[in-house]
Amino acid sequence: MVSLSARELIGVALVALLLVVAVAGGPDRLLAYTEGDDGCVASNRIPTPDSLEQAREATLCLVNRERAAHGLRVLLADDRLTQASQLHSDDMGKRHFYSHENPDGASPSARVYAQGLPRYGTTVAENIHWATGYRATPKRIFRDWMNSPGHRENILRVEVTHVGVGIGFEAPDPDSTDRARVYTTDFFGGTDQPSG
């Protein structure tokens, strides 16, 4: 039987830990996976272009779970809102800005209406956020929104009925060297409801 000193045991434990981290895909991915998804599949995973639709569904799941907990109706995904959100997320990365208004002056309402949604008797609200590494999972982004009064208010607005989720893969900060995820959610509701 081999007897190891305390220092040798610590060394073996560290090597084992490094192997687990390497197999998991790095420390960010390991941390994200250990959080669990809380019933919203893939909400603890860092989105990739191949898993974009799954990340959108996870974000919508988190939003609707929170709304249901507050006695609010769930939101329906709308392709036009998703398009407006995706274009804005991509635009922030490509043109390196981080704002609800793009450099051309287009507001969330203008971008949503440009996708063919009705202009009158409606409410448009928008949440944006970006992060890198494990902080860029739908779960972490959603947690940050819920800890921000304005973003939380948008998620829990009674009058909204539809939502679109966009996730871009370029940082709005040109100095960021980490791979980023840029989220936009556009909320819509009112007397004239989307038909598709």
Side-chain angles (χ1 to χ4, degrees), residues 117-179:
L117 285 147
R119 294 176 179 268
Y120 303 104
T122 60
T123 296
V124 174
E126 181 176 81
N127 287 353
I128 59 174
H129 193 8
W130 77 280
T132 60
Y134 73 91
R135 292 173 303 280
T137 65
K139 186 175 180 177
R140 286 294 183 105
I141 295 292
F142 180 77
R143 183 183 303 162
D144 289 350
W145 282 336
M146 289 306 292
N147 287 326
S148 165
H151 293 108
R152 178 185 178 87
E153 180 183 332
N154 285 341
I155 289 167
L156 299 177
R157 282 179 180 261
V158 173
E159 66 273 20
V160 298
T161 55
H162 292 75
V163 67
V165 178
I167 303 171
F169 299 95
E170 292 182 51
D173 177 358
D175 296 327
S176 177
T177 57
D178 293 332
R179 291 183 297 156

Coordinates of all heavy atoms in Angstrom, one line a residue, residues 117-179:
L117 N -45.4 44.6 -37.9 CA -46.4 44.6 -36.8 C -47.2 45.9 -36.7 O -46.7 47.0 -37.2 CB -45.6 44.4 -35.4 CG -45.1 42.9 -35.3 CD1 -43.8 42.8 -34.6 CD2 -46.2 42.1 -34.6
P118 N -48.4 45.9 -36.3 CA -49.3 47.1 -36.3 C -48.7 48.2 -35.4 O -48.1 47.9 -34.3 CB -50.6 46.6 -35.7 CG -50.4 45.2 -35.1 CD -49.1 44.7 -35.7
R119 N -48.9 49.4 -35.8 CA -48.3 50.6 -35.2 C -49.2 51.2 -34.1 O -48.7 51.9 -33.2 CB -48.0 51.7 -36.2 CG -46.9 51.3 -37.1 CD -46.7 52.4 -38.2 NE -45.7 52.1 -39.1 CZ -44.4 52.4 -38.9 NH1 -44.0 53.1 -37.9 NH2 -43.5 52.1 -39.8
Y120 N -50.5 51.0 -34.2 CA -51.4 51.8 -33.4 C -52.0 50.9 -32.3 O -52.4 49.8 -32.5 CB -52.5 52.5 -34.2 CG -51.8 53.4 -35.3 CD1 -51.7 53.0 -36.6 CD2 -51.2 54.6 -34.9 CE1 -51.1 53.8 -37.5 CE2 -50.6 55.4 -35.8 CZ -50.5 54.9 -37.2 OH -49.9 55.7 -38.1
G121 N -52.2 51.5 -31.1 CA -52.9 50.8 -30.0 C -52.0 49.7 -29.5 O -52.5 48.7 -29.0
T122 N -50.7 49.9 -29.6 CA -49.8 48.8 -29.2 C -48.7 49.3 -28.2 O -48.5 50.5 -28.0 CB -49.1 48.2 -30.4 OG1 -48.3 49.2 -31.0 CG2 -50.0 47.6 -31.4
T123 N -48.1 48.3 -27.5 CA -47.0 48.5 -26.6 C -45.8 47.8 -27.2 O -45.9 46.6 -27.5 CB -47.3 48.0 -25.2 OG1 -48.4 48.7 -24.7 CG2 -46.1 48.1 -24.3
V124 N -44.6 48.4 -27.2 CA -43.4 47.8 -27.5 C -42.4 48.0 -26.4 O -42.3 49.2 -25.9 CB -42.8 48.3 -28.9 CG1 -41.4 47.7 -29.1 CG2 -43.7 48.0 -30.0
A125 N -41.7 47.0 -25.9 CA -40.7 47.1 -24.9 C -39.5 46.3 -25.3 O -39.7 45.3 -26.1 CB -41.3 46.7 -23.5
E126 N -38.4 46.6 -24.8 CA -37.2 45.8 -25.2 C -36.2 45.7 -24.1 O -36.0 46.6 -23.3 CB -36.5 46.5 -26.4 CG -35.3 45.8 -26.9 CD -34.7 46.6 -28.1 OE1 -34.0 47.6 -27.9 OE2 -35.0 46.1 -29.2
N127 N -35.6 44.5 -24.0 CA -34.5 44.2 -23.1 C -33.3 43.9 -23.9 O -33.4 43.1 -24.9 CB -34.8 43.1 -22.1 CG -35.8 43.4 -21.0 OD1 -36.2 44.6 -20.9 ND2 -36.2 42.4 -20.3
I128 N -32.1 44.4 -23.5 CA -30.8 44.0 -24.2 C -29.8 43.7 -23.1 O -30.0 44.2 -21.9 CB -30.3 45.1 -25.1 CG1 -30.0 46.4 -24.4 CG2 -31.2 45.3 -26.3 CD1 -29.3 47.4 -25.3
H129 N -28.9 42.8 -23.4 CA -27.8 42.5 -22.5 C -26.7 41.7 -23.2 O -27.1 41.1 -24.2 CB -28.4 41.6 -21.4 CG -27.5 41.5 -20.2 ND1 -26.3 42.2 -20.0 CD2 -27.6 40.6 -19.1 CE1 -25.7 41.8 -18.8 NE2 -26.5 40.9 -18.3
W130 N -25.5 41.9 -22.8 CA -24.5 41.1 -23.4 C -23.5 40.6 -22.3 O -23.3 41.3 -21.3 CB -23.8 41.8 -24.6 CG -22.8 42.8 -24.2 CD1 -23.0 44.1 -23.9 CD2 -21.3 42.7 -24.2 NE1 -21.8 44.8 -23.7 CE2 -20.8 43.9 -23.9 CE3 -20.5 41.6 -24.5 CZ2 -19.4 44.1 -23.8 CZ3 -19.1 41.8 -24.4 CH2 -18.6 43.1 -24.1
A131 N -22.9 39.5 -22.6 CA -21.9 38.9 -21.6 C -21.0 37.9 -22.4 O -21.2 37.6 -23.5 CB -22.7 38.2 -20.5
T132 N -20.0 37.5 -21.7 CA -19.1 36.5 -22.2 C -19.0 35.3 -21.2 O -19.4 35.4 -20.1 CB -17.7 37.0 -22.4 OG1 -17.2 37.5 -21.1 CG2 -17.6 38.2 -23.4
G133 N -18.5 34.2 -21.8 CA -18.3 33.0 -20.9 C -19.6 32.5 -20.3 O -20.7 32.6 -20.9
Y134 N -19.5 31.9 -19.1 CA -20.7 31.3 -18.4 C -21.7 32.4 -18.1 O -22.9 32.0 -17.9 CB -20.2 30.5 -17.2 CG -19.8 31.4 -16.0 CD1 -20.8 31.8 -15.1 CD2 -18.5 31.9 -15.9 CE1 -20.4 32.7 -14.0 CE2 -18.1 32.7 -14.8 CZ -19.1 33.1 -13.9 OH -18.7 33.9 -12.9
R135 N -21.3 33.6 -18.1 CA -22.3 34.7 -17.8 C -23.2 34.9 -19.0 O -24.2 35.7 -18.9 CB -21.6 36.0 -17.4 CG -20.9 35.9 -16.1 CD -20.0 37.1 -15.8 NE -19.0 37.4 -16.8 CZ -17.8 36.8 -16.9 NH1 -17.5 35.8 -16.0 NH2 -16.9 37.1 -17.8
A136 N -22.9 34.3 -20.1 CA -23.7 34.5 -21.4 C -24.8 33.4 -21.6 O -25.4 33.3 -22.6 CB -22.8 34.5 -22.6
T137 N -25.1 32.6 -20.6 CA -26.1 31.6 -20.7 C -27.5 32.3 -20.6 O -27.6 33.4 -20.0 CB -26.0 30.5 -19.6 OG1 -26.3 31.1 -18.3 CG2 -24.7 29.8 -19.6
P138 N -28.6 31.7 -21.2 CA -29.9 32.3 -21.0 C -30.2 32.5 -19.5 O -30.8 33.6 -19.1 CB -30.8 31.3 -21.7 CG -30.0 30.7 -22.7 CD -28.6 30.6 -22.1
K139 N -29.9 31.6 -18.7 CA -30.2 31.7 -17.3 C -29.5 32.9 -16.6 O -30.1 33.6 -15.8 CB -29.7 30.4 -16.6 CG -30.1 30.3 -15.2 CD -29.8 28.9 -14.6 CE -30.2 28.8 -13.2 NZ -29.9 27.4 -12.7
R140 N -28.2 33.1 -16.9 CA -27.5 34.2 -16.3 C -28.0 35.6 -16.8 O -28.2 36.5 -16.1 CB -26.0 34.1 -16.6 CG -25.3 33.1 -15.7 CD -25.4 33.5 -14.2 NE -24.7 32.6 -13.4 CZ -23.5 32.8 -12.9 NH1 -22.9 33.9 -13.1 NH2 -22.9 31.9 -12.1
I141 N -28.3 35.6 -18.1 CA -28.8 36.9 -18.7 C -30.2 37.2 -18.1 O -30.4 38.3 -17.7 CB -28.9 36.7 -20.3 CG1 -27.6 36.5 -20.9 CG2 -29.7 37.9 -20.9 CD1 -26.7 37.7 -20.9
F142 N -31.0 36.2 -18.0 CA -32.4 36.4 -17.4 C -32.2 36.8 -16.0 O -33.0 37.7 -15.5 CB -33.2 35.1 -17.5 CG -34.6 35.2 -17.0 CD1 -35.5 35.9 -17.6 CD2 -34.8 34.7 -15.7 CE1 -36.8 36.0 -17.1 CE2 -36.1 34.8 -15.2 CZ -37.1 35.5 -15.9
R143 N -31.3 36.2 -15.2 CA -31.2 36.6 -13.8 C -30.8 38.0 -13.7 O -31.3 38.8 -12.9 CB -30.1 35.7 -13.2 CG -29.8 36.0 -11.7 CD -28.7 35.2 -11.2 NE -29.0 33.7 -11.4 CZ -28.0 32.8 -11.3 NH1 -26.8 33.1 -11.0 NH2 -28.3 31.5 -11.5
D144 N -29.9 38.5 -14.6 CA -29.5 39.9 -14.6 C -30.7 40.8 -14.9 O -30.9 41.9 -14.3 CB -28.4 40.2 -15.6 CG -27.0 39.6 -15.1 OD1 -26.9 39.1 -14.0 OD2 -26.1 39.5 -16.0
W145 N -31.5 40.4 -15.9 CA -32.7 41.2 -16.2 C -33.6 41.3 -15.0 O -34.1 42.4 -14.8 CB -33.4 40.6 -17.4 CG -32.8 40.9 -18.8 CD1 -32.0 41.9 -19.1 CD2 -33.0 40.1 -19.9 NE1 -31.7 41.9 -20.4 CE2 -32.3 40.8 -21.0 CE3 -33.7 39.0 -20.3 CZ2 -32.2 40.3 -22.3 CZ3 -33.7 38.5 -21.5 CH2 -32.9 39.2 -22.5
M146 N -33.8 40.2 -14.3 CA -34.7 40.2 -13.2 C -34.2 41.0 -12.0 O -35.0 41.5 -11.2 CB -35.1 38.8 -12.8 CG -36.0 38.1 -13.8 SD -37.5 38.9 -14.2 CE -38.4 38.9 -12.7
N147 N -32.9 41.2 -12.0 CA -32.3 42.1 -10.9 C -32.2 43.5 -11.3 O -31.6 44.3 -10.6 CB -30.9 41.5 -10.6 CG -31.0 40.2 -9.8 OD1 -31.9 40.1 -9.0 ND2 -30.1 39.3 -10.0
S148 N -32.7 43.9 -12.5 CA -32.7 45.3 -13.0 C -34.2 45.7 -13.1 O -35.0 45.1 -13.8 CB -32.1 45.3 -14.4 OG -32.3 46.5 -15.0
P149 N -34.5 46.8 -12.3 CA -35.9 47.2 -12.3 C -36.6 47.4 -13.6 O -37.7 46.9 -13.9 CB -35.9 48.5 -11.4 CG -34.7 48.3 -10.6 CD -33.7 47.6 -11.4
G150 N -35.9 48.1 -14.5 CA -36.5 48.4 -15.9 C -36.7 47.1 -16.7 O -37.8 46.9 -17.3
H151 N -35.7 46.2 -16.7 CA -35.8 45.0 -17.4 C -36.9 44.1 -16.8 O -37.7 43.4 -17.5 CB -34.5 44.3 -17.5 CG -33.5 45.0 -18.2 ND1 -32.4 45.6 -17.6 CD2 -33.3 45.2 -19.6 CE1 -31.7 46.2 -18.5 NE2 -32.2 46.0 -19.7
R152 N -36.9 44.0 -15.5 CA -37.9 43.2 -14.8 C -39.3 43.7 -15.1 O -40.2 42.9 -15.4 CB -37.7 43.3 -13.3 CG -38.7 42.5 -12.4 CD -38.4 42.8 -10.9 NE -39.3 42.2 -10.1 CZ -39.2 40.9 -9.7 NH1 -38.1 40.2 -10.0 NH2 -40.1 40.4 -8.9
E153 N -39.5 45.0 -15.1 CA -40.8 45.6 -15.5 C -41.2 45.2 -16.9 O -42.4 44.8 -17.1 CB -40.7 47.1 -15.4 CG -42.0 47.8 -15.8 CD -41.9 49.3 -15.7 OE1 -41.0 49.8 -15.0 OE2 -42.6 50.0 -16.5
N154 N -40.3 45.2 -17.8 CA -40.7 44.7 -19.2 C -41.1 43.3 -19.2 O -42.1 42.9 -19.9 CB -39.5 44.9 -20.2 CG -39.3 46.4 -20.5 OD1 -40.2 47.2 -20.4 ND2 -38.1 46.7 -21.0
I155 N -40.4 42.4 -18.5 CA -40.7 41.0 -18.5 C -42.1 40.8 -17.9 O -42.9 39.9 -18.3 CB -39.7 40.2 -17.7 CG1 -38.4 40.2 -18.6 CG2 -40.1 38.8 -17.4 CD1 -37.1 39.7 -17.9
L156 N -42.5 41.6 -16.9 CA -43.7 41.4 -16.2 C -44.9 42.3 -16.6 O -45.9 42.5 -15.9 CB -43.5 41.5 -14.7 CG -42.5 40.5 -14.1 CD1 -42.2 40.8 -12.6 CD2 -43.0 39.1 -14.3
R157 N -44.7 43.0 -17.7 CA -45.8 43.9 -18.2 C -47.0 43.1 -18.5 O -47.0 42.1 -19.2 CB -45.3 44.6 -19.5 CG -44.4 45.7 -19.3 CD -44.0 46.4 -20.6 NE -43.1 47.5 -20.5 CZ -43.5 48.7 -20.5 NH1 -44.7 49.1 -20.7 NH2 -42.6 49.7 -20.3
V158 N -48.1 43.6 -18.0 CA -49.4 42.9 -18.2 C -49.9 43.0 -19.6 O -50.4 42.0 -20.2 CB -50.5 43.5 -17.3 CG1 -51.9 43.0 -17.6 CG2 -50.1 43.3 -15.8
E159 N -49.6 44.1 -20.3 CA -50.2 44.3 -21.6 C -49.4 43.6 -22.7 O -50.0 43.6 -23.9 CB -50.2 45.8 -21.9 CG -48.9 46.5 -22.0 CD -48.3 47.0 -20.7 OE1 -48.7 46.5 -19.6 OE2 -47.4 47.9 -20.8
V160 N -48.3 43.1 -22.5 CA -47.6 42.4 -23.6 C -48.1 41.0 -23.8 O -48.4 40.3 -22.8 CB -46.0 42.5 -23.5 CG1 -45.5 43.9 -23.5 CG2 -45.5 41.8 -22.3
T161 N -48.1 40.5 -25.0 CA -48.6 39.2 -25.3 C -47.7 38.3 -26.2 O -47.8 37.1 -26.2 CB -49.9 39.3 -26.1 OG1 -49.7 40.1 -27.3 CG2 -51.0 40.0 -25.2
H162 N -46.7 39.0 -26.8 CA -45.8 38.3 -27.8 C -44.4 38.8 -27.5 O -44.1 39.9 -27.0 CB -46.2 38.6 -29.2 CG -47.5 38.0 -29.6 ND1 -48.7 38.5 -29.2 CD2 -47.8 36.9 -30.3 CE1 -49.7 37.7 -29.6 NE2 -49.2 36.7 -30.3
V163 N -43.5 37.9 -27.9 CA -42.0 38.2 -27.7 C -41.2 37.6 -28.8 O -41.6 36.6 -29.5 CB -41.6 37.7 -26.3 CG1 -41.6 36.2 -26.3 CG2 -40.2 38.2 -25.9
G164 N -40.1 38.2 -29.1 CA -39.1 37.6 -29.9 C -37.7 37.7 -29.2 O -37.5 38.6 -28.5
V165 N -36.9 36.7 -29.4 CA -35.6 36.6 -28.8 C -34.5 36.5 -29.9 O -34.6 35.6 -30.8 CB -35.5 35.4 -27.9 CG1 -34.1 35.3 -27.3 CG2 -36.5 35.4 -26.8
G166 N -33.5 37.4 -29.8 CA -32.4 37.4 -30.7 C -31.1 37.2 -29.9 O -31.0 37.8 -28.9
I167 N -30.2 36.4 -30.4 CA -28.9 36.3 -29.8 C -27.8 36.4 -30.8 O -27.7 35.6 -31.8 CB -28.8 34.9 -29.1 CG1 -30.0 34.7 -28.1 CG2 -27.4 34.7 -28.4 CD1 -30.1 33.3 -27.5
G168 N -27.0 37.4 -30.7 CA -25.8 37.6 -31.6 C -24.6 37.0 -31.0 O -24.5 36.8 -29.8
F169 N -23.6 36.9 -31.8 CA -22.3 36.2 -31.4 C -21.1 37.1 -31.5 O -20.0 36.6 -31.5 CB -22.2 34.9 -32.2 CG -23.3 34.0 -31.9 CD1 -24.4 33.9 -32.7 CD2 -23.3 33.2 -30.8 CE1 -25.4 33.0 -32.4 CE2 -24.3 32.3 -30.5 CZ -25.4 32.3 -31.3
E170 N -21.3 38.4 -31.7 CA -20.2 39.4 -31.7 C -20.3 40.4 -30.6 O -21.5 40.9 -30.4 CB -20.1 40.1 -33.1 CG -19.7 39.2 -34.3 CD -19.6 40.0 -35.5 OE1 -18.9 41.1 -35.5 OE2 -20.3 39.6 -36.5
A171 N -19.3 40.7 -29.9 CA -19.3 41.7 -28.8 C -19.6 43.1 -29.4 O -19.0 43.5 -30.4 CB -18.0 41.7 -28.0
P172 N -20.5 43.9 -28.7 CA -20.6 45.3 -29.1 C -19.4 46.1 -28.7 O -19.3 47.2 -29.2 CB -21.9 45.7 -28.3 CG -22.1 44.7 -27.2 CD -21.4 43.4 -27.6
D173 N -18.6 45.6 -27.8 CA -17.3 46.3 -27.4 C -16.2 45.8 -28.3 O -15.8 44.6 -28.2 CB -17.0 46.0 -26.0 CG -15.7 46.6 -25.5 OD1 -15.0 47.3 -26.3 OD2 -15.5 46.5 -24.3
P174 N -15.6 46.7 -29.2 CA -14.6 46.2 -30.1 C -13.3 45.8 -29.4 O -12.5 45.0 -29.9 CB -14.3 47.4 -31.0 CG -14.8 48.6 -30.2 CD -15.9 48.1 -29.3
D175 N -13.2 46.1 -28.1 CA -12.0 45.7 -27.3 C -12.1 44.4 -26.6 O -11.2 43.9 -26.0 CB -11.6 46.8 -26.3 CG -11.2 48.1 -27.0 OD1 -10.6 48.1 -28.1 OD2 -11.5 49.2 -26.4
S176 N -13.3 43.8 -26.7 CA -13.6 42.5 -26.1 C -12.9 41.4 -26.9 O -13.1 41.3 -28.1 CB -15.1 42.2 -26.0 OG -15.3 40.9 -25.4
T177 N -12.1 40.6 -26.2 CA -11.4 39.5 -26.9 C -12.1 38.2 -26.6 O -11.8 37.2 -27.3 CB -9.9 39.4 -26.4 OG1 -9.9 39.2 -24.9 CG2 -9.1 40.7 -26.7
D178 N -13.0 38.2 -25.7 CA -13.8 37.0 -25.4 C -14.9 36.9 -26.3 O -15.5 37.8 -26.8 CB -14.3 37.0 -24.0 CG -13.2 37.0 -22.9 OD1 -12.2 36.4 -23.2 OD2 -13.4 37.5 -21.8
R179 N -15.3 35.6 -26.6 CA -16.5 35.4 -27.4 C -17.7 35.8 -26.6 O -18.0 35.4 -25.5 CB -16.6 33.9 -27.8 CG -15.5 33.5 -28.8 CD -15.7 32.1 -29.2 NE -15.5 31.2 -28.1 CZ -16.0 30.0 -28.0 NH1 -16.7 29.5 -29.0 NH2 -15.8 29.3 -26.9

